Amino acid sequence: MNKSLLLAAPALLAVAAHAQTGTLQASLDVNTPTNMGIPGGTGNIGALGVAYVETTAGGRELHISARGSTDASGNYNANPPHSVFVYDLQGNLLRNYGQDPTSDATVWGYRDGASDHNWSDPAIFWGNDNGIYVMDSNGAARTTYMAANGVQTLPANPIAGTAQAVLANCRAVAYDPNGDSGNGSWWTATFGSDLIECDKNGNILTQHIFNGSWSLYGLAMDPITGMLWGNSSPNAGRLAEIDPATGQETGRTVIPGGNLAIDGIQGGLDIIGSGGVANSPVGGNDLVALQQSDPDRAIALKLSINDNFDYTNQDPLEVGKNSDPMSWTDQIAIRTSDTTLDVRVPNTTGTTQFGALFLNVNDSARQNATIANILPIVEFENFEYGFTLPFDLSMPMAPSVNLPIVAGAVLNLPIAPFTPLDNMGAQALMVTSNAPAGPQLPIYPTNRAVVDFCITNAQPQGITVSANGTNSFNTITTSGFFSVATSANSIPISKIRFTGVNGMVFDCDQTGSADQFDAGNSTTAGCLGTYRNGSDVACGLNYAAAGLAPVAACATAGSSTGFRATSTLSSPWVEFEFTPGTFTGGLVFEFDCDTDLGNGINGSAMAGMLIDITLLDGTKICGELVADPVDVNLSSFTF
């Protein structure tokens, strides 16, 4: 949190409510302690599923299913026998145990996990090709489990029956102790399958038809709301809430990562019980998602701050501009042609009253720290209302502006005073009459919206950015699908970022596109980058820039990608930096990178893509690709 905010409202902060739904509580590397990701096994095929288990000794554990095992020398191998690695909530490896022998006979072993929440004698449920295994916390097969009606006896282990026959793989697993009239039931699915609820015999109790969006590797049931959460929807997308009564997504989603990024692709999912990773003194639950990335990570996100105060009790911060319709969002772009930034906390709950709006200027350094580093008695953490990625309000930032705000009222803030800024974070602390009883005053933090400012009416530069072709998965090596063309009079380009819209992501490690984008400047045959016509070298692409994405495993030793991204698996943006003064004078930079989701794959489908350019003199200009009125395979914008 910036120091001016602390000075402005110390009493308010000292009693603030806990972090909100979607807050990134922890991101734990589950590869490094086990050597997954070194030769013999790669990060994105090592860790698969997660189950949260609390033991009689008071231990709080994450059980991570993994393909393969680590030998006595610490070398990881992706072949059977398969393993479960046990971590504490700080990411320390505690122990590991083997999987059932029949699971070892499968290529991947256990997938998603869940628990019966019987802390005195926990049963852990693991999804697999053979059904749902019921094991104890040290890997031994069980004959019983706990449900609402008490201890239940298993007819067989694993649970299979019709559910397994229909799915062929009970990959995603969530347990409902109240299901099947209190005898317990399991929700299961595999990627884009139907969503099935089954009893302990594997009989199908409920079957919801695939909704056309989800791709479920993990499932978890919120014991407070009774809703399911799935990892993910769409594929390689967000965690999504699903109503088990209807099989429909509710529209509530959470990004499983940081900095507006989905961290890797979907793995398992579970619920961490009261207290969560942050060890809060009151109740509430966290989602914990296993994200298959490099390294694989167990990512914990706040689901509810108290057993009696979840996201349905809170109003979000909404933003808009120019008096247009407003909505909650995690980012909004303001151009110099806009007139007002509009901010509101609606009172849809009927219980939100008033509060303070904090505008933190030049809020560009976003990271996952906690306010405990500054003021230990406060548990602000990375405030978030829900359904979008959080930003951290707990780190030092540039000067802030604090404004009073009344629930339901719109603040129309003139753009002019903010135009010299790069960006600004907006977030509110609100007083509510609907907070749970407890030691805290009835104050909660909203989501944060990041406001990016950019010059759109700058002096013409003669720079044209294009997306041109029938498919971003382009195999034509003589021309790049994406291009940036300068003119003789252009101020040299120092940096350029392409940001997708409507959920579009860059699939940077996709193979088959006449080599692959994340191979960068590799010279290995069959593993070359996809910068076309030598434009990377001609334009001075900086292969030594800080923070570049990791290079492909097949690349020549010492190679570099030359681009920044949140992940090579799936990134909402890609960014390039150039040697100062080089990229100008008619030079053209061309590259190919596969895109997923969004509005489609041809040039016109890239319309709306945000282009942010930093020039050599520090000027920041921006625009959005516009579909060509004649050529259906072209979108472009000229600065």
Side-chain angles (χ1 to χ4, degrees):
M1 178 173 297
N2 61 58
K3 292 184 175 68
S4 63
L5 193 157
L6 283 171
L7 294 173
L12 188 67
L13 296 182
V15 293
H18 289 218
Q20 307 301 294
T21 301
T23 297
L24 182 63
Q25 299 288 80
S27 182
L28 308 177
D29 174 358
V30 297
N31 281 165
T32 301
T34 63
N35 282 338
M36 285 187 285
I38 66 169
T42 58
N44 65 359
I45 64 169
L48 301 174
V50 58
Y52 169 69
V53 180
E54 194 165 320
T55 67
T56 53
R60 299 155 64 78
E61 301 175 342
L62 295 178
H63 291 233
I64 306 293
S65 62
R67 179 186 184 186
S69 58
T70 302
D71 65 22
S73 300
N75 299 311
Y76 176 75
N77 190 294
N79 298 317
H82 304 305
S83 303
V84 175
F85 295 98
V86 182
Y87 298 81
D88 64 19
L89 298 191
Q90 286 70 49
N92 300 307
L93 180 64
L94 303 178
R95 65 185 189 281
N96 66 282
Y97 56 85
Q99 298 185 15
D100 187 90
T102 57
S103 176
D104 285 337
T106 64
V107 174
W108 294 89
Y110 296 160
R111 302 326 200 277
D112 189 24
S115 169
D116 65 356
H117 308 296
N118 177 23
W119 311 134
S120 63
D121 184 24
I124 305 175
F125 311 112
W126 293 108
N128 182 271
D129 311 58
N130 301 323
I132 300 171
Y133 287 87
V134 185
M135 316 300 287
D136 69 14
S137 57
N138 290 301
R142 294 182 57 99
T143 58
T144 63
Y145 65 93
M146 182 64 73
N149 291 341
V151 177
Q152 304 293 308
T153 300
L154 287 165
N157 191 356
I159 299 167
T162 310
Q164 190 277 335
V166 169
L167 295 176
N169 188 334
C170 297
R171 186 181 308 274
V173 175
Y175 176 63
D176 180 5
N178 299 301
D180 190 23
S181 302
N183 294 319
S185 66
W186 293 261
W187 289 89
T188 182
T190 178
F191 291 129
S193 72
D194 291 355
L195 176 61
I196 286 175
E197 181 190 20
C198 71
D199 64 13
K200 63 183 179 181
N201 294 292
N203 298 319
I204 294 177
L205 304 175
T206 307
Q207 184 168 354
H208 294 305
I209 303 300
F210 171 50
N211 72 348
S213 177
W214 65 52
S215 181
L216 299 174
Y217 204 113
L219 282 167
M221 176 162 278
D222 184 349
I224 297 176
T225 64
M227 292 291 182
L228 289 168
W229 284 84
N231 191 9
S232 65
S233 183
N235 185 54
R238 298 185 178 214
L239 309 183
E241 188 184 56
I242 303 169
D243 187 342
T246 64
Q248 298 299 310
E249 295 182 31
T250 66
R252 300 184 181 102
T253 64
V254 170
I255 298 179
N259 298 327
L260 281 179
I262 295 170
D263 192 346
I265 59 175
Q266 68 270 31
L269 186 68
D270 203 4
I271 297 285
I272 295 179
S274 293
V277 169
N279 294 315
S280 306
V282 276
N285 296 301
D286 292 344
L287 286 166
V288 57
L290 193 287
Q291 292 298 109
Q292 300 178 61
S293 186
D294 190 9
D296 296 328
R297 291 189 173 276
I299 297 176
L301 303 123
K302 181 58 65 179
L303 185 56
S304 58
I305 64 174
N306 186 284
D307 291 349
N308 300 307
F309 193 62
D310 61 21
Y311 51 77
T312 62
N313 303 111
Q314 307 158 38
D315 284 300
L317 179 74
E318 297 180 337
V319 294
K321 56 186 180 180
N322 309 329
S323 298
D324 291 336
M326 304 171 67
S327 64
W328 63 261
T329 184
D330 39 35
Q331 193 161 28
I332 185 171
I334 296 292
R335 310 311 193 195
T336 47
S337 56
D338 295 320
T339 56
T340 62
L341 168 65
D342 307 325
V343 182
R344 173 180 64 190
V345 177
N347 190 15
T348 56
T349 63
T351 58
T352 304
Q353 298 174 341
F354 60 89
L357 173 69
F358 301 104
L359 302 175
N360 297 282
V361 302
N362 288 328
D363 180 21
S364 58
R366 300 189 289 265
Q367 55 182 298
N368 297 309
T370 69
I371 197 170
N373 298 332
I374 300 172
L375 195 61
I377 64 172
V378 180
E379 288 190 318
F380 249 39
E381 296 163 341
N382 316 321
F383 307 153
E384 176 60 24
Y385 163 77
F387 328 145
T388 61
L389 187 74
F391 292 99
D392 186 14
L393 190 60
S394 64
M395 53 181 296
M397 285 181 263
S400 69
V401 177
N402 307 335
L403 301 172
I405 187 170
V406 177
V410 178
L411 291 180
N412 300 110
L413 306 176
I415 293 297
F418 299 122
T419 51
L421 305 178
D422 177 57
N423 51 58
M424 178 173 69
Q427 187 170 35
L429 288 178
M430 302 301 295
V431 175
T432 175
S433 61
N434 193 34
Q440 304 148 324
L441 288 180
I443 300 168
Y444 75 91
T446 69
N447 56 299
R448 165 174 286 192
V450 172
V451 184
D452 282 327
F453 296 95
C454 192
I455 299 174
T456 52
N457 56 355
Q459 179 180 351
Q461 293 294 318
I463 299 171
T464 298
V465 181
S466 302
N468 189 3
T470 59
N471 193 337
S472 61
F473 183 63
N474 181 37
T475 59
I476 302 172
T477 60
T478 55
S479 62
F481 181 85
F482 295 102
S483 66
V484 183
T486 61
S487 69
N489 299 318
S490 302
I491 297 176
I493 295 174
S494 296
K495 185 168 61 177
I496 183 167
R497 174 180 288 205
F498 295 72
T499 303
V501 293
N502 296 325
M504 195 215 82
V505 293
F506 292 90
D507 184 357
C508 305
D509 67 348
Q510 176 65 56
T511 59
S513 184
D515 297 303
Q516 61 191 79
F517 183 46
D518 67 342
N521 60 357
S522 169
T523 57
T524 299
C527 188
L528 304 175
T530 53
Y531 299 110
R532 303 308 189 192
N533 298 318
S535 63
D536 53 333
V537 176
C539 297
L541 182 64
N542 187 355
Y543 280 105
L548 297 181
V551 72
C554 62
T556 308
S559 299
S560 168
T561 57
F563 65 86
R564 298 186 181 99
T566 61
S567 167
T568 56
L569 298 170
S570 173
S571 179
W573 53 264
V574 291
E575 183 177 89
F576 308 92
E577 189 173 310
F578 300 90
T579 302
T582 303
F583 188 11
T584 186
L587 292 176
V588 179
F589 176 63
E590 302 174 77
F591 69 97
D592 286 312
C593 181
D594 183 38
T595 62
D596 297 325
L597 309 177
N599 297 326
I601 57 175
N602 68 354
S604 64
M606 304 297 151
M609 179 175 286
L610 304 177
I611 309 298
D612 292 276
I613 296 176
T614 303
L615 301 177
L616 183 62
D617 63 1
T619 301
K620 182 179 176 183
I621 58 177
C622 57
E624 301 175 6
L625 296 187
V626 178
D628 189 273
V630 177
D631 188 345
V632 297
N633 293 315
L634 174 65
S635 291
S636 64
F637 186 86
T638 298
F639 294 88

